[in-house]
Amino acid sequence: MHTTAMTGIVVEEWKNYCVVDTAVGRFRATPLGALRKRFRRICVGDRVELRVTNSDTFEALVMTILPRRTYLPRPPMANLDLVVFVNTVREPAVSYETIDRFLLNAELHELVTVIVINKIDLFNKDDHETARELRATYERVGYTVLASSAQTGEGLDSILTECRGKISCVAGVSGVGKSSLLRRIFPDHEFRTRELSEKLERGVHTTTHTTLLRHDQGSYIADTPGFSFIDLPSIDTADLVACFPEINQTGTRCRF
Ligand code: GDP
């Protein structure tokens, strides 16, 4: 193994070190003291330059944090390429308003979103009709809409195809099946429950327990325990109308 600088991606971040995936393995990396003073905190998704200090034990120093393409504060995540936005039409029923709000905020944060309609195994005839309308509505404005069942595994391949080679996270209101989908995608990973994560957060004062889980072909999907919904700092409606004058003209009929 060489000891020159190499780049990697932060998959876990703890108080005094982070775990960095590189082409030659996974390192426990400590940020340079100077780096800690000069930069904001490292977070998962950051691309960093490492200098290996011990190639046998996979220890390294983080020399530089490369510029972030995107940044989400809660939970802290850098360089997200894709948000897998999970919804369903029953248990809980779909809310166009929630979807619109989320999509709009995601756009404003320059995040790319795919919409997933989960729990299709539960759908009756009416549910399928509702799902078809939902799909048509959002495909019309340019979104990719996929259907899935965390129960049967149907549609998982299409979700993973979207995630290939990217850093993704799963978002959506409580109960739509985010954890079930993640468990299905990463059957060997031990997921912590939300309650336990919240206890840990309070107990040890670490900032985040978000980890990036690596799927094959270089895909990373965030596990964000304690957050049922990624928190996009919301934009005031008045500001929105100012940003998008079309809304003013088309009024409430406009999806955006
Ligand atoms: P989360 O709050 O979004 O993480 O949702 P969970 O993954 O905890 O799922 C909420 C409930 O819906 C659980 O009882 C799951 O077993 C159930 N569930 C999730 N996905 C599916 C699915 O695709 N089909 C069916 N039938 N149930 C599902």
Side-chain angles (χ1 to χ4, degrees):
M1 192 188 304
H2 49 82
T3 53
T4 50
M6 63 172 92
T7 57
I9 179 164
V10 177
V11 294
E12 286 178 39
E13 190 265 332
W14 297 93
K15 203 163 180 212
N16 296 314
Y17 71 97
C18 52
V19 179
V20 180
D21 247 17
T22 72
V24 296
R26 191 163 272 207
F27 285 81
R28 181 187 159 112
T30 315
L32 268 187
L35 198 63
R36 277 194 231 170
K37 278 196 200 111
R38 249 188 309 139
F39 285 85
R40 69 276 144 175
R41 216 188 158 95
I42 291 179
C43 71
V44 298
D46 266 326
R47 291 193 166 85
V48 293
E49 274 179 12
L50 297 183
R51 184 166 298 278
V52 176
T53 50
N54 188 329
S55 55
D56 297 327
T57 55
F58 286 82
E59 283 172 280
L61 283 174
V62 180
M63 309 299 287
T64 314
I65 306 171
L66 301 176
R68 288 174 180 165
R69 201 178 54 75
T70 60
Y71 174 72
L72 269 190
R74 272 172 54 82
M77 276 186 281
N79 301 318
L80 259 191
D81 296 304
L82 184 75
V83 180
V84 177
F85 183 36
V86 184
N87 293 273
T88 183
V89 305
R90 60 144 67 196
E91 300 171 25
V94 66
S95 154
Y96 277 87
E97 196 193 332
T98 307
I99 299 180
D100 286 354
R101 269 184 183 283
F102 184 87
L103 292 178
L104 194 47
N105 268 328
E107 295 279 350
L108 291 167
H109 288 85
E110 296 181 20
L111 297 169
V112 178
T113 307
V114 295
I115 298 170
V116 171
I117 306 173
N118 188 40
K119 305 200 188 186
I120 51 171
D121 61 292
L122 284 182
F123 291 3
N124 61 24
K125 205 161 157 273
D126 287 347
D127 296 330
H128 280 297
E129 188 48 42
T130 312
R132 252 193 303 278
E133 277 169 27
L134 189 79
R135 176 189 281 260
T137 303
Y138 292 102
E139 280 182 343
R140 213 165 28 235
V141 288
Y143 286 96
T144 299
V145 184
L146 306 169
S148 72
S149 164
Q151 186 80 26
T152 66
E154 196 179 341
L156 246 66
D157 282 352
S158 334
I159 298 177
L160 287 170
T161 302
E162 288 294 325
C163 295
R164 191 170 293 156
K166 299 177 184 158
I167 301 179
S168 311
C169 78
V170 177
V173 297
S174 195
V176 291
K178 298 179 297 297
S179 335
S180 307
L181 284 169
L182 280 174
R183 275 195 213 101
R184 188 96 195 186
I185 295 171
F186 298 100
D188 299 329
H189 181 76
E190 211 173 293
F191 288 96
R192 274 196 308 263
T193 64
R194 186 172 171 192
E195 292 71 25
L196 180 59
S197 299
E198 280 169 359
K199 258 187 218 147
L200 281 173
E201 292 277 355
R202 279 197 296 273
V204 295
H205 302 293
T206 46
T207 47
T208 171
H209 294 291
T210 300
T211 52
L212 290 185
L213 306 174
R214 190 191 164 113
H215 202 259
D216 48 9
Q217 295 156 336
S219 312
Y220 291 91
I221 304 181
D223 172 28
T224 57
F227 290 94
S228 70
F229 209 87
I230 60 169
D231 192 1
L232 299 176
S234 69
I235 313 279
D236 196 71
T237 318
D239 291 345
L240 269 185
V241 175
C243 288
F244 297 92
E246 315 85 87
I247 296 178
N248 250 341
Q249 289 154 22
T250 40
T252 51
R253 283 175 299 110
C254 179
R255 250 326 63 243
F256 292 113

